[in-house]
Amino acid sequence: MPSGCYGEAAAFVLPPLPPMPHPPTDVTQVLLPFGGLVGREVDLDAFLQTLMDRIATTMQADRGTLWLLDPARRELFSRAAHLPEVSQIRVKLGQGVAGTVAEAGQAINVPDPRGERRFFADIDRMTGYRTTSLLAVPLRDVDGALYGVLQVLNRRGGDTFTADDTERLTAIASQVSTALQSTSLYQELQRAKDQPQAPVGYFFNRIIGESPQLQSIYRLVRKAAPTDATVLLRGESGSGKELFARAVHVNGPRRDQPFIKVDCAALPATLIENELFGHERGAFTGADHRVPGKFEAANGGTVFIDEIGELPLPVQGKLLRVLQDREFERVGGTQAVKVDVRIVAATHRDLARMVAEGRFREDLYYRIKVVEVVLPPLRERGAEDIERLARHFIAAVAKRHRLQPPRLGAAALERLKRYRWPGNVRELENCIESAVVLCEGEILEEHLPLPNLDRAASAPAPVSTESRTPSELAPASGGEAGLLPLAEVERRHILRVLDSVKGNRTAAAKVLEIGRNTLARKLKEYGLGDEG
């Protein structure tokens, strides 16, 4: 995906559009219906390409291009186009027909580009394509501001585009613009206009980032999603595993069916089996009627098993049966229940090591890692992704709290880029929310609830955790001085959060977005098993 491109989880339904030799009397019927935003999430990249195919068919054109405005460079870039020869084209405002439309804000119809001064012949030379006729109209938002251009090339049959064609494409552009303004694509264009010095964000199903690691994962998800293959997502806590699980679901054939999440870390081990498989009447005291489990609720759809490494061994055997035979028995039952589900699993643990230690079934491990996706921690995604995410969260948090979005000061931005983010994207979001709420017009370094870099970052961790308080166990540096094992990074982050809420474990679990039982288990590992 070339730099400057966008994508996002949108919601469009596209019925077939027949060719239209004559414009309809009601221009609102030109492209409608394409469904609008009706709750379905699909990859906007695929939607836009399909849209351009159908616009070209409707206009009886050979090719079509959706140009979007890059306000920082004062350029148009091709966002969706019939351009098999190149990945992307950019033109300056005022350059070529599209650039002139963007600058003047008026439709342009070029019956014959030969001798036309506004025609930019370098594009034909670049692609090897010969343009014989061209029609371009502006894309405007609800306030009338221009943010792109819709263009079609070479009317079929050797004809030229007419005044009726201009009216038709203008109507299409209006409808396309209305739909696009409901997506993060348009929101990011607006953010880039307000903050032209900042990098433009890339959205893939509500996931922001265009580092090489993420681009590779986007390609992998696009390949795996249309199948029913089981997917295993691995990565540190807060790295976005649930977002990618949803991306697998909404870009696959089950997108219209349920997406059911089960967080194994948030449930006591004794309840996980019942949560997944349900129970029969009389299965235990108080079971006065049959209760279906998550697998039955998700029939036809996807079950997302978060933190599958916490799954007890006996339940692992039942899950293996679901994967192998697509059937199970409810707790207290003897009758096999058939189910049709796709399974996506996630964990921050090293399952291969757990297999070697006998804590995870080897046969289940190989069953769930048909497609394995390893998510990079935020610190490895680069400074630009951190900035993109920070600016996105500033806008989102300000909107949620009904505040004016503050400016991000240069020193604060540099501090964000230098920090190692042991809590990953989740920690960054919480950090930005605190800063937006507490600052006054501009986020300064002192508004960021981050450890002080001047404190002793290299102090060794305590050898023993017996009788220690959370404050004593959580170094202020968060491990910034050197590379640490994942378990140590997690330990320091959890204890620092616990210290920040003055030992309140319920509050700490809420901040960390984990179950209180999970937090208690982890603290027991750190030698803090007793309440207090």
Side-chain angles (χ1 to χ4, degrees):
M1 186 82 49
S3 176
C5 289
Y6 308 76
E8 93 117 8
F12 300 92
V13 180
L14 288 168
L17 290 175
M20 300 176 63
H22 301 291
T25 55
D26 180 1
V27 294
T28 62
Q29 298 176 6
V30 171
L31 193 60
L32 290 177
F34 53 60
L37 303 182
V38 294
R40 282 184 55 185
E41 298 187 47
V42 296
D43 186 358
L44 185 59
D45 292 328
F47 164 74
L48 289 177
Q49 196 59 52
T50 302
L51 182 63
M52 292 312 302
D53 291 343
R54 297 184 180 185
I55 289 174
T57 299
T58 300
M59 296 299 301
Q60 300 186 54
D62 184 51
R63 290 189 174 191
T65 305
L66 171 65
W67 300 89
L68 293 178
L69 179 63
D70 183 341
R73 300 185 186 181
R74 289 183 55 79
E75 293 178 344
L76 290 177
F77 62 91
S78 57
R79 176 58 186 84
H82 300 105
L83 289 171
E85 303 87 0
V86 293
S87 59
Q88 188 187 82
I89 294 177
R90 284 181 171 262
V91 296
K92 299 288 185 183
L93 291 186
Q95 184 180 47
V97 173
T100 304
V101 170
E103 186 175 59
Q106 300 293 328
I108 294 178
N109 186 349
V110 178
D112 186 350
R114 290 174 296 182
E116 170 59 62
R117 60 178 179 78
R118 295 171 297 186
F119 179 68
F120 187 43
D122 283 359
I123 296 179
D124 274 10
R125 284 191 285 269
M126 183 190 311
T127 61
Y129 182 78
R130 181 171 176 266
T131 302
T132 58
S133 58
L134 184 154
L135 174 61
V137 300
L139 276 176
R140 296 184 182 277
D141 63 18
V142 68
D143 297 321
L146 187 146
Y147 68 93
V149 172
L150 194 59
Q151 174 183 283
V152 289
L153 303 174
N154 293 7
R155 203 177 198 283
R156 291 174 182 169
D159 297 332
T160 58
F161 294 106
T162 65
D164 287 341
D165 290 326
T166 302
E167 179 185 351
R168 184 184 300 118
L169 189 60
T170 300
I172 290 173
S174 175
Q175 295 169 47
V176 170
S177 181
T178 298
L180 292 183
Q181 287 173 72
S182 300
T183 71
S184 295
L185 166 61
Y186 174 75
Q187 295 168 18
E188 179 65 10
L189 289 173
Q190 293 302 103
R191 200 278 304 150
K193 183 170 66 176
D194 297 336
Q195 302 169 332
Q197 77 284 359
V200 172
Y202 174 84
F203 286 80
F204 174 81
N205 290 265
R206 307 192 192 282
I207 301 161
I208 300 174
E210 53 180 303
S211 63
Q213 299 99 316
L214 284 192
Q215 295 289 353
S216 176
I217 293 172
Y218 298 155
R219 289 191 291 270
L220 193 59
V221 169
R222 285 193 180 96
K223 291 179 180 178
T227 73
D228 272 337
T230 303
V231 176
L232 174 63
L233 299 160
R234 291 200 300 110
E236 296 179 9
S237 296
S239 57
K241 295 187 288 293
E242 184 174 349
L243 282 176
F244 278 98
R246 289 186 181 275
V248 170
H249 172 72
V250 301
N251 290 290
R254 299 174 182 265
R255 65 171 65 92
D256 294 321
Q257 302 303 317
F259 176 86
I260 303 293
K261 176 185 175 182
V262 181
D263 187 352
C264 299
L267 294 168
T270 53
L271 295 182
I272 291 179
E273 182 179 8
N274 185 65
E275 186 78 6
L276 285 172
F277 305 108
H279 64 260
E280 296 285 358
R281 179 183 178 184
F284 47 83
T285 302
D288 55 1
H289 63 282
R290 173 187 290 174
V291 175
K294 298 298 188 184
F295 276 107
E296 286 180 87
N299 192 37
T302 301
V303 175
F304 171 46
I305 305 178
D306 198 11
E307 295 301 347
I308 194 172
E310 312 301 321
L311 205 62
L313 279 168
V315 184
Q316 291 178 27
K318 291 192 72 169
L319 177 59
L320 180 64
R321 182 182 176 189
V322 174
L323 286 165
Q324 289 177 331
D325 305 324
R326 291 297 189 266
E327 66 178 27
F328 62 90
E329 294 171 2
R330 301 184 191 96
V331 176
T334 58
Q335 183 177 357
V337 178
K338 291 286 186 181
V339 69
D340 173 26
V341 295
R342 181 180 194 171
I343 293 177
V344 178
T347 185
H348 74 284
R349 297 200 174 278
D350 184 346
L351 293 186
R353 180 177 177 181
M354 292 180 68
V355 168
E357 295 172 350
R359 294 187 292 131
F360 199 86
R361 292 183 60 134
E362 184 176 19
D363 46 6
L364 177 60
Y365 174 57
Y366 290 115
R367 278 283 184 176
I368 64 172
K369 67 181 298 260
V370 176
V371 177
E372 187 174 33
V373 180
V374 181
L375 304 184
L378 180 57
R379 61 184 171 274
E380 293 180 4
R381 288 171 50 180
E384 284 204 346
D385 266 11
I386 292 174
E387 181 176 354
R388 291 183 182 99
L389 284 162
R391 294 188 185 277
H392 169 74
F393 289 140
I394 288 172
V397 168
K399 182 178 180 181
R400 184 163 67 243
H401 293 296
R402 299 176 297 281
L403 300 171
Q404 184 68 24
R407 293 172 59 260
L408 180 59
L413 176 59
E414 286 306 309
R415 181 72 178 90
L416 294 173
K417 291 180 178 179
R418 292 198 310 271
Y419 186 58
R420 292 190 58 77
W421 301 108
N424 292 294
V425 179
R426 184 183 298 137
E427 184 185 8
L428 173 61
E429 182 177 10
N430 292 335
C431 171
I432 292 298
E433 181 168 13
S434 175
V436 168
V437 171
L438 297 178
C439 76
E440 297 181 0
E442 181 176 5
I443 297 177
L444 305 176
E445 191 170 0
E446 59 260 32
H447 296 132
L448 302 175
L450 296 176
N452 189 344
L453 285 173
D454 295 330
R455 296 173 67 176
S458 58
V463 175
S464 173
T465 59
E466 294 296 326
S467 303
R468 300 281 182 148
T469 67
S471 179
E472 293 172 320
L473 281 165
S477 68
E480 290 190 50
L483 299 177
L484 297 172
L486 174 59
E488 177 64 13
V489 171
E490 179 186 80
R491 183 187 76 88
R492 294 189 182 197
H493 178 60
I494 288 176
L495 295 173
R496 182 167 61 82
V497 169
L498 189 63
D499 187 49
S500 71
V501 296
K502 298 179 173 57
N504 186 320
R505 298 188 179 190
T506 300
K510 185 176 181 180
V511 171
L512 293 164
E513 296 187 13
I514 62 176
R516 198 175 187 281
N517 291 331
T518 302
L519 178 60
R521 175 176 51 76
K522 290 180 180 294
L523 291 176
K524 186 175 181 180
E525 295 174 4
Y526 308 153
L528 289 168
D530 298 329
E531 291 285 347

